[in-house]
Amino acid sequence: MGKEVPASFRAAYDEALARWPVPVEAVDVPTPYGVTRVNRCGPPGAPPLVLLPGGGATSTVWGACVAAGLARDRRVYAVDLVGDPGLSVPEPGLGIRTPEDLAGWLDAVLDGLVPEGRITLAGHSYGAWIAAQYAARRVGWYAPRPRLDRLVLLDPTQVFTGLSPRYVLRALPVLARPTPGRIRCFLAWETGGVPLDPAWLRLQEETAAFPTARPVTGPRPDLTGLAPFGLDVLFAGRARCHDPLRALATATRTLPGARVRLLRGASHHALPLTEAGELVRLLAP
């Protein structure tokens, strides 16, 4: 059986997506691991940009960036992760269990969206970890068909440093038994009370009742071979999920060819809902 999407979740999802100020086309991409929902916008033929959200955030989290002009010069493909809250539908009995499974899933998604040419792949948080895992496996002389032109990692978790124990302790009640109140309190703690898009926040609260699969985990991706590759890494200066200065130092040391920077005023879970103008400039063609 495919997952049942609660009616209240679907209503909140549609409300959040309706706030995007450009026409959006829903695309369902078949993959070996299920049907992946992608929300597409921007001029056909423009440079393709594939966006992976953080865990539980859904593709709608990129709405502020779209409103700030992200789709003006980009063909934007915002993805709902399979097994996560959203409108992707996992294949029964065939879950994604390893980083290589994730890479195979993303291969199929990219084949369905952009069969020819290269793309920019960007991810936030857990989505950045997925993007980094993909790049580590699919970029280099051994790649059967290079797909990536550029990789952008927005405050990636567990790529350059581990999670903060304090953050994990705060997150455990939300992970163990999510409720709308717990989700709202956790986000308020991590962001320092920064106002978030109310439609997206309502959708986040609705994820409490959403059936999800256990997220894939694994070792940190080895990105040391990507020095000549177009690689941007941005860290949120007020992030509580990890030590941003330590993560920045590690990224700078291990990736001398990358453009690594700190966005001092941003917190982890406020991205990409806030600082949208800065992110649009970073993601520009």
Side-chain angles (χ1 to χ4, degrees):
M1 291 178 57
K3 69 185 180 184
E4 295 294 330
V5 178
S8 57
F9 176 91
R10 181 58 190 260
Y13 184 102
D14 289 345
E15 179 187 354
L17 197 60
R19 294 167 69 90
W20 291 27
V22 298
V24 180
E25 179 186 5
V27 181
D28 288 327
V29 181
T31 79
Y33 299 96
V35 176
T36 299
R37 170 59 59 90
V38 180
N39 289 304
R40 178 169 66 187
C41 60
L49 170 63
V50 178
L51 301 172
L52 304 181
T58 80
S59 59
T60 67
V61 77
W62 301 100
C65 290
V66 172
L70 184 62
R72 187 178 300 121
D73 302 309
R74 284 284 199 184
R75 185 64 159 167
V76 172
Y77 301 92
V79 178
D80 281 347
L81 304 178
V82 168
D84 234 32
L87 300 186
S88 293
V89 182
E91 181 68 21
L94 190 61
I96 296 177
R97 296 182 174 85
T98 68
E100 186 58 37
D101 289 344
L102 279 171
W105 162 74
L106 193 49
D107 275 333
V109 171
L110 297 181
D111 286 344
L113 296 175
V114 189
E116 302 294 334
R118 300 196 180 198
I119 66 157
T120 293
L121 178 63
H124 169 243
S125 188
Y126 180 60
W129 182 83
I130 295 173
Q133 291 284 354
Y134 183 82
R137 288 166 167 75
R138 297 295 190 266
V139 175
W141 63 268
Y142 49 83
R145 182 160 63 97
R147 302 300 309 270
L148 301 189
D149 180 57
R150 185 176 168 217
L151 179 68
V152 182
L153 307 178
L154 304 177
D155 211 36
T157 48
Q158 308 211 78
V159 174
F160 301 103
T161 188
L163 294 175
S164 159
R166 185 184 180 200
Y167 176 86
V168 173
L169 286 173
R170 282 274 189 167
L172 278 176
V174 180
L175 297 173
R177 191 168 65 85
T179 66
R182 286 181 175 184
I183 291 171
R184 184 181 287 270
C185 287
F186 176 73
L187 290 173
W189 168 77
E190 200 285 326
T191 62
V194 170
L196 302 177
D197 175 21
W200 180 84
L201 190 57
R202 178 192 163 205
L203 177 59
Q204 283 300 104
E205 293 175 354
E206 290 293 338
T207 65
F210 196 94
T212 58
R214 183 176 180 177
V216 175
T217 59
R220 295 178 194 171
D222 181 6
L223 301 179
T224 54
L226 303 184
F229 182 71
L231 177 57
D232 292 87
V233 187
L234 183 144
F235 293 102
R238 295 177 53 241
R240 295 190 174 190
C241 57
H242 50 209
D243 182 336
L245 295 181
R246 180 184 172 193
L248 182 142
T250 301
T252 302
R253 183 177 65 254
T254 58
L255 300 172
R259 295 170 290 273
V260 183
R261 54 176 298 213
L262 185 73
L263 194 55
R264 294 189 178 277
S267 66
H268 180 77
H269 286 287
L271 293 178
L273 297 161
T274 62
E275 310 291 345
E278 189 73 23
L279 297 184
V280 168
R281 285 188 287 273
L282 176 66
L283 293 166

